[in-house]
Amino acid sequence: MSNFVHPCLLQLLPLLFFVLVLLFCASCQSASVDLNPEDKASLLLFRSWIQDPVHGLSTWLGSNCTNWTGLVCQNHSGQVISINLRNVNLSGYIHPNLCNLLFLETLVLSENGFTGQIPLCFGRLQNLKTLDLSHNRFGGVVPDSLMRLRQLKELTLNGNHDLGGVVPWWVGNFSTNLEILDLGFNSFHGTIPESLFYCKSLKYLDLGNNYLSGDLHDFFQPLVFLNLSSNSLSGTLPCFSASIRSLGVLNLARNSIVGGIPTCIASLEELTHLNLSFNHLNYAISPRLVFSEKLLALDLSFNDLSGPLPTKIAETTEKSGLVLLDLSHNCFSGGIPLKITELKSLQALFLSHNLLTGEIPARIGNLTYLQVIDLSRNSLSGSIPLNIVGCFQLLALVLNNNNLSGQIQPELDALDSLKVLDISNNGISGEIPLTLAGCKSLEIVDFSSNNLSGNLNDAITKWSNLRYLSLARNKFSGSLPSWLFTFEEIQMMDFSGNKFSGFIPDGNFNISLEFNNGDVRRLPAEPFLAIRNIEIKISVLVVDNSELSFNYHLSSTAGIDLSDNLLHGEIPHGLFGLQGLEYLNLSYNFLDGQVPSLEKMQRLRALDLSHNSLSGQIPGNISRLKELVLVNFSYNSLSGFVPQKEGYGRFPGAFAGNPDLCVESPRVKCDSGSLPTVPAKSFEETEGPISVWIFCISAFVSFYFCVVTLFCSTRARSYLLQTKV
């Protein structure tokens, strides 16, 4: 019965369909708005002045406003009331006729390539409520004509690096409707205009990344967002009392603010993001400085704060609380308080570069949302707590430069999302557990400067995304495995300062994408030590109330370091065929044979083969290896003649300790006749008839002088005469 349809309804269906078609056509017709002819002419002139390589304005044809990209028109008059051409890849100058659109309320030209100065005629657009010219190439100063825009609610000019001068004095009182003012990432200098501190309608203020100076003052309006970061502001922190129930984001990072952190800052009830990093804040943090559970990100890094870490820095609930806590690069001392392990929502914990002592709390494993732990460069002791595997979402574990001991626990394989593992410069011993094969996401592994031992096991081969691997300065031994150069993403491997023996494996060197990238990158010349050092910059950003964006930057050359081991045998020729290799150190081994050709190593910046037993000739002309800043062939058994034109003259001292090698220079001329130019050639093959005669004459003269010298010596003559035949 439920599927039964009355016959009358069936007869009405065609009629209903016809009515629906009529309604649809009527709506389509009503949506069609004829563009005002004068506005159309002005827009076409605007288009004629700009470049549109991707044809983003190809729809600007005909008179139907709804077909024109980015336009909104009034239904009856056809007057243009909104232009939104954000990120359409436009460039060029703005035609003054655009200012004839007197009914315009919204003008958005952001994320394009417009140049020149902001047109003075924009002051005629007195109905304008939104003006967004951000992320273009406008220069000069903000024209005073904009003060006539009394209806303006939003003025966004950020990201125009050549736009500067002083911030206009009128910017805080020209419009009683102004809510958003964004002048960040420009070149403004001078002090913040006093009018901005009293603009009652203002809610969002961004003056970050400029050259503003002067003392930081309090604001007397209820702001929601305040960014003054990356300027040269000084003075002490105000309380922002007028914003106690409104301010959500406060960013004063990278200024010159001094003094302590006043406890009144914790009274900001709606605060979700507080960044005071890179200032000169000092003194201890008061125990009364406790933020509400609404605070998501707290960054106090790179200051001079001292005393113990706060036992309680923010309230927390099961569903809310701190996501990011960064207290790194300060002078905090004492242990890590257990209260930190109660911040259940925490996803990133940075306590590095302090004076912390004691052990890592075992309860840290209770922070199940943690993605980043950085406790490096402190004086922490004890072992890595086994409970840390409770942080099963961990992406980065950085514990380097402490006093940690014990062994690498096999259970760490539970951290199968781990990308960065750095436990270098500690006292950790034992072997690399085979179970670490389960950490298949690893990209950065630094075990250097510990007491680790044993052979290299196959667990490492499971780290298929490996970009950086350092086992330097440990006690590893045995032969280097055949899989050593089989990582596609590898950028740097450092096995120096161990007891590896045997040959360098002559495997497939063509697997690594980085080692084989022959595109020459123009890099600044750096000292040798700077080439060896790496820096891992981990950054996190709270993008939502519960989400964190993790990123890291690996600052390292593409290199291989096998120095200071017990390796012997010849250098594999494939190693010198890596076009992308920038750094190669095989020094302090027992390698022999000849040095392979360098001609394919176009990106090579540093080569150290010193303190081996290499023999034969130096490789040929290296003058076209423009990136090369260091070469060291010293203390080998190299021989022959290195002409000045070979290009080695810019590396003084590179050939010391090779007595059979002559390096030509403006002050030193080598006797090419007495030095073989090609190794393993016989005397007859390298010398002509004239050279043979010269040799015979010099031999006769030498013999004559020896005899004369002997007989001129009284002692030698008497000895020879008294000897019995």
Side-chain angles (χ1 to χ4, degrees), residues 152-170:
L152 204 64
K153 288 186 175 181
E154 176 183 349
L155 177 59
T156 304
L157 304 177
N158 75 317
N160 291 281
H161 301 295
D162 294 327
L163 184 65
V166 296
V167 180
W169 60 269
W170 47 263

Side-chain angles (χ1 to χ4, degrees), residues 141-182:
V141 298
V142 179
D144 288 342
S145 60
L146 295 188
M147 75 169 74
R148 298 201 292 266
L149 304 179
R150 302 290 184 183
Q151 304 299 318
L152 204 64
K153 288 186 175 181
E154 176 183 349
L155 177 59
T156 304
L157 304 177
N158 75 317
N160 291 281
H161 301 295
D162 294 327
L163 184 65
V166 296
V167 180
W169 60 269
W170 47 263
V171 74
N173 56 20
F174 76 104
S175 170
T176 57
N177 299 310
L178 189 66
E179 296 181 358
I180 298 174
L181 177 63
D182 189 349

Side-chain angles (χ1 to χ4, degrees), residues 349-352 372-376 378 396-400 538:
L349 176 62
F350 293 92
L351 300 178
S352 68
V372 179
I373 301 175
D374 188 352
L375 308 179
S376 61
N378 282 287
L397 177 58
V398 183
L399 304 175
N400 61 283
I538 296 175

Side-chain angles (χ1 to χ4, degrees), residues 84-91 108-114 132-138 156-160:
N84 188 341
L85 298 177
R86 177 181 176 271
N87 195 21
V88 191
N89 200 21
L90 305 175
S91 60
V108 178
L109 301 177
S110 60
E111 298 183 44
N112 285 289
F114 290 108
D132 186 352
L133 306 178
S134 60
H135 298 287
N136 279 284
R137 298 174 188 169
F138 291 111
T156 304
L157 304 177
N158 75 317
N160 291 281

Side-chain angles (χ1 to χ4, degrees), residues 358-379:
E359 298 187 359
I360 302 172
R363 292 186 192 175
I364 202 166
N366 296 341
L367 303 176
T368 55
Y369 292 107
L370 262 183
Q371 297 182 36
V372 179
I373 301 175
D374 188 352
L375 308 179
S376 61
R377 295 188 181 274
N378 282 287
S379 297

Side-chain angles (χ1 to χ4, degrees), residues 17-33 66 75:
F17 178 75
F18 179 71
V19 171
L20 289 172
V21 171
L22 287 177
L23 290 172
F24 177 76
C25 293
S27 64
C28 291
Q29 189 170 0
S30 64
S32 176
V33 178
T66 56
N75 287 336

Side-chain angles (χ1 to χ4, degrees), residues 68 160 186 213 233 254 273 280 321 360 380 408 498 522 538 583 636:
W68 285 44
N160 291 281
N186 290 303
S213 57
L233 300 172
R254 297 180 185 274
H273 293 69
H280 303 296
I360 302 172
L380 298 171
I408 302 174
N498 284 284
R522 288 293 170 190
I538 296 175
Y583 168 68
N636 279 283

